[in-house]
């Protein structure tokens, strides 16, 4: 078996394994995205009014495992203030400062990002009904930072790229040292008070308050400026892409398996052919042995002439490689009969005719009656 499995085989087997593991993982992601789309499509939307209180009170756990509400963002207490836009108040604030550099590595310049500040501040907030100044029913959204893709829902309130003030001398020094400062990227993103949001998660009544909390692991916690339909479509499209990728990987894996099976089949066939040829050469040698024994017996009376005749014959029929065995095979396609069976097998790969150096496609045993 050691002859059959070589480095290429191991590579192919490893590739098949990785391919199917990936296909399995992506197929799982496909099902998860599809299930999430279906869950969101089927989720019930509750208006922010007295009926939501009643509904929660009727439930023995005073909760709805997966429900949807829509409303306007209102702070619970003090708000987060924008550091750049005066008067802009929010309930989530993501500030970041990233240093951009060019660095020379092994003669090549590549861009490097260095995060200096990456701060996310979150305060709980209410979702309240539209266009009302007093709102008896409001939902407190907790842990908004654990919602799915929440970063996309934040609005950019500040973006600035600060270029360093460098003179020519400093620039030259930087070029020599292999590290050039390109500048600082400042970004501030916020979830602003007054934004209309949709929230999908677990609704719980605690005391007089209704809270929105992350649902169980089977469901996605959603806080989004998108509508329900837009979200469903987004997840469906994502599921569709996963499905295509999983299919392509599956086909690739199957192709690799076919390729490997074909390789093994070819190797087995080659080994069988060699075995068959070795057997033929052995038979030929046995026959030759018998023929010479007969000749020797018949020409016992005229011994000298036979020996000289045979030794000349022997010279012509000697293998040009080992100069010992008889020539036993025809090399194709050149057609030279110049080597014995042992030497034909022992020719280094790719096999070449020792007389004319033409490539040996195959060789067959000669047969002299
Ligand atoms: Zn030989
Ligand atoms: Zn030849």
């Amino acid at each position: 078996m050691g002859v059959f499995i070589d480095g290429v085989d191991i590579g192919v087997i490893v590739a098949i394994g990785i391919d199917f593991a990936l296909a399995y993982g992506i197929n799982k992601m496909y099902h998860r995205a599809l299930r999430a789309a279906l869950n969101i499509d089927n989720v019930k939307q509750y208006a922010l009014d007295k009926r939501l209180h009643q509904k929660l009170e009727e439930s023995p756990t005073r909760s709805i495992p997966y429900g949807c509400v829509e409303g306007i963002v209102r702070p619970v207490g003090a708000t987060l203030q924008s550091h750049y836009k005066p008067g802009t108040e929010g309930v989530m604030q993501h500030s970041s400062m990233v240093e951009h550099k060019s660095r020379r590595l092994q003669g090549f310049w590549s861009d490097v990002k260095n995060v200096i500040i990456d701060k996310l501040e979150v305060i709980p907030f209410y979702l309240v009904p539209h266009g009302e100044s007093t709102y008896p029913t409001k939902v407190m959204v907790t842990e908004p930072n654990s919602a799915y893709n929440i970063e996309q829902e934040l609005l950019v309130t500040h973006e600035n790229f600060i270029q360093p003030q460098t003179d020519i001398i400093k620039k030259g020094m930087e070029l020599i040292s292999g590290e050039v400062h390109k500048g600082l990227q400042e970004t501030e993103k916020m979830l602003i008070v007054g934004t209309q949001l949709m929230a999908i998660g677990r609704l719980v009544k605690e005391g007089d308050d209704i809270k929105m909390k992350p649902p169980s692991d089977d469901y996605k916690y959603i806080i989004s400026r998108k509508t329900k339909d837009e979200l469903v479509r987004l997840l469906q499209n994502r599921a569709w892409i996963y499905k295509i990728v999983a299919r392509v990987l599956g086909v690739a894996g199957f192709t690799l398996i076919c390729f490997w099976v074909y390789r093994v089949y070819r190797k087995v066939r080659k080994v069988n052919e060699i075995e068959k040829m070795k057997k033929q050469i052995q038979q030929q040698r046995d026959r030759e042995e018998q023929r010479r024994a007969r000749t020797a017996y018949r020409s016992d009376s005229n011994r000298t002439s036979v020996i000289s005749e045979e030794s000349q014959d022997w010279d012509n029929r000697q293998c040009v490689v080992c100069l010992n065995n008889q020539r036993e095979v025809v090399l194709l396609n050149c057609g030279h009969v110049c080597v014995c069976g042992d030497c034909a097998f022992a020719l280094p790969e790719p096999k070449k005719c020792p007389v004319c150096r033409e490539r040996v496609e195959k060789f067959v045993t000669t047969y002299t009656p």
Side-chain angles (χ1 to χ4, degrees):
M1 204 61 197
V3 189
F4 291 150
I5 307 289
D6 56 22
V8 177
D9 286 311
I10 291 167
V12 172
I13 292 167
V14 168
I16 291 169
I18 291 171
D19 181 272
F20 278 115
L22 269 175
Y24 175 76
I26 290 172
N27 193 50
K28 238 179 160 175
M29 282 158 81
Y30 156 66
H31 284 291
R32 208 176 298 151
L34 201 69
R35 205 168 45 228
L38 201 73
N39 285 339
I40 292 168
D41 204 17
N42 290 337
V43 78
K44 205 170 167 209
Q45 184 160 348
Y46 298 93
L48 294 173
D49 57 28
K50 263 185 272 170
R51 278 169 298 174
L52 182 56
H53 281 283
Q54 281 167 9
K55 181 90 190 164
L56 286 164
E57 276 155 22
E58 281 164 14
S59 153
T61 55
R62 288 167 71 87
S63 68
I64 296 165
Y66 204 49
C68 174
V69 291
E70 220 179 320
I72 307 285
V73 173
R74 283 274 173 274
V76 172
T79 53
L80 300 166
Q81 303 288 325
S82 167
H83 299 304
Y84 304 95
K85 263 191 180 173
T88 303
E89 296 177 299
V91 290
M92 284 182 84
Q93 188 177 41
H94 185 197
S95 316
S96 65
M97 193 182 274
V98 179
E99 189 183 16
H100 290 253
K101 284 188 207 171
S102 261
R103 195 173 283 163
R104 191 175 52 212
L105 275 173
Q106 284 149 354
F108 292 100
W109 289 91
S110 56
D111 285 350
V112 183
K113 284 180 192 174
N114 189 13
V115 178
I116 297 167
I117 300 172
D118 185 37
K119 199 170 105 188
L120 180 68
E121 276 184 282
V122 183
I123 55 169
F125 59 89
Y126 291 121
L127 286 182
V128 302
H130 304 252
E132 286 174 42
S133 50
T134 58
Y135 20 84
T137 309
K138 52 187 190 278
V139 170
M140 188 197 273
V141 177
T142 63
E143 300 174 51
N145 48 324
S146 65
Y148 170 74
N149 257 349
I150 188 70
E151 185 73 22
Q152 284 188 356
E153 307 302 333
L154 306 183
L155 271 182
V156 176
T157 47
H158 175 75
E159 210 167 20
N160 189 25
F161 194 77
I162 308 161
Q163 274 180 316
Q165 300 283 328
T166 45
D167 50 46
I168 290 170
I169 297 168
K170 202 174 170 203
K171 196 98 191 162
M173 299 248 297
E174 282 188 338
L175 280 171
I176 292 162
S177 73
E179 193 171 278
V180 174
H181 291 265
K182 291 170 86 181
L184 280 174
Q185 170 83 47
E186 263 180 349
T187 315
E188 186 191 64
K189 290 178 180 177
M190 289 179 84
L191 184 55
I192 294 161
V193 169
T195 309
Q196 181 173 334
L197 282 186
M198 180 188 65
I200 307 175
R202 195 159 67 95
L203 287 160
V204 192
K205 184 153 183 184
E206 287 180 2
D208 285 337
D209 294 332
I210 301 173
K211 286 183 180 172
M212 171 69 83
K213 293 186 169 187
S216 68
D217 288 343
D218 295 338
Y219 297 97
K220 275 196 192 332
Y221 189 26
I222 308 272
I223 295 170
S224 179
R225 287 185 280 138
K226 294 185 186 68
T227 65
K228 222 171 86 169
D229 287 346
E230 280 173 338
L231 260 171
V232 169
R233 242 191 331 257
L234 196 91
L235 283 162
Q236 276 172 343
N237 286 346
R238 189 161 301 172
W240 185 77
I241 290 167
Y242 289 150
K243 188 179 173 178
I244 300 275
V245 173
R247 287 271 166 92
V248 168
L249 285 172
V251 169
F254 186 71
T255 311
L256 278 173
I257 287 177
C258 291
F259 168 71
W260 185 67
V261 167
Y262 175 65
R263 256 181 75 87
V264 169
Y265 161 74
R266 244 181 28 189
K267 273 192 259 185
V268 169
R269 208 178 59 178
K270 201 170 174 186
V271 166
N272 285 343
E273 266 173 14
I274 288 171
E275 286 302 314
K276 207 172 114 190
M277 179 122 4
K278 277 184 177 162
K279 218 178 270 172
Q280 276 179 2
I281 286 167
Q282 194 51 51
Q283 282 172 358
Q284 199 185 14
R285 280 180 189 174
D286 292 346
R287 273 199 302 271
E288 188 63 19
E289 196 68 28
Q290 284 169 12
R291 192 181 70 84
R292 286 209 289 134
R294 273 202 307 276
T295 316
Y297 175 75
R298 253 188 269 141
S299 49
D300 220 13
S301 52
N302 200 354
R303 203 175 175 84
T304 37
S305 83
V306 168
I307 284 172
S308 69
E309 192 186 291
E310 203 172 62
S311 68
Q312 176 146 31
D313 188 33
W314 183 246
D315 275 348
N316 284 336
R317 296 171 61 83
Q318 230 173 351
C319 165
V320 300
V321 178
C322 63
L323 306 172
N324 183 30
N325 294 338
Q326 290 193 37
R327 301 177 182 188
E328 291 163 317
V329 299
V330 189
L331 303 182
L332 295 174
N333 298 316
C334 68
H336 275 120
V337 183
C338 53
V339 290
C340 69
D342 296 344
C343 294
F345 284 119
L347 283 175
E349 293 287 351
K351 292 189 193 300
K352 280 181 182 163
C353 170
V355 174
C356 69
R357 309 303 300 161
E358 194 177 317
R359 201 191 150 98
V360 177
E361 302 295 340
K362 63 185 258 184
F363 53 84
V364 291
T365 50
T366 55
Y367 181 72
T368 30

